Amino acid sequence: MPDFPVLIALMLAGAAGYAWWNASRAAAERATRVGRDACRAAGVIWLDQSVHAAGMRLRRRADGRLGWERVFRFEYSEDGMQRHIGRMVLHGDELVQFTGPAQAAQVVALH
C-alpha cells in the first residue's frame, strides 16, 4: 500500500488531469458552437460537423493572469465542391480571433 503523501500526490495529479481535460473539452465545444453558427449565418456548408485543435500556448489575459490560448480550425464550403479552412482563437472561453466565411465575420462577435 502506498504511503499517504504518495496517495495525496496521485490524487492531486488526477484532479489536475481531469481539470485540464474538462477545460479542453469545454473550449472545443465552444469552438464547435461558434463555427456552426458562423457557417449558418453566412449561408455556407459546415463540413465534417467538427472543429480540430490546431495549437495551444500560454498567454496573458487582459487582467494580467496567465491563461491558455487554443487555436481551432474548421472546414466549410460555399458551393459543396471546394473546401475552405476557417480558423478561430479562443483565450479561455473568449473568442479573440475568427477567420472564416466573409459574411460570417460580420456576425461573429469578438469578446
Side-chain angles (χ1 to χ4, degrees):
M1 185 168 168
D3 290 313
F4 187 71
V6 174
L7 187 58
I8 294 293
L10 287 174
M11 289 174 61
L12 288 174
Y18 175 74
W20 174 274
W21 175 82
N22 196 31
S24 296
R25 289 301 324 140
E29 289 172 7
R30 167 98 165 103
T32 298
R33 282 192 309 272
V34 169
R36 181 184 58 235
D37 293 346
C39 288
R40 184 179 300 134
V44 299
I45 303 165
W46 185 42
L47 300 174
D48 302 330
Q49 306 299 310
S50 66
V51 295
H52 307 282
M56 182 172 59
R57 67 180 180 161
L58 274 175
R59 187 155 185 197
R60 293 221 180 263
R61 298 180 186 178
D63 62 2
R65 295 182 357 190
L66 282 176
W68 290 106
E69 179 180 87
R70 291 177 169 89
V71 179
F72 294 93
R73 67 178 201 72
F74 63 98
E75 294 184 355
Y76 64 95
S77 177
E78 296 171 348
D79 58 5
M81 298 296 287
Q82 293 182 331
R83 288 180 171 257
H84 302 283
I85 295 176
R87 182 177 180 270
M88 65 187 89
V89 179
L90 296 176
H91 196 183
D93 196 31
E94 180 182 357
L95 179 67
V96 294
Q97 183 182 8
F98 179 84
T99 306
Q103 304 90 333
Q106 299 167 1
V107 176
V108 175
L110 298 180
H111 303 288

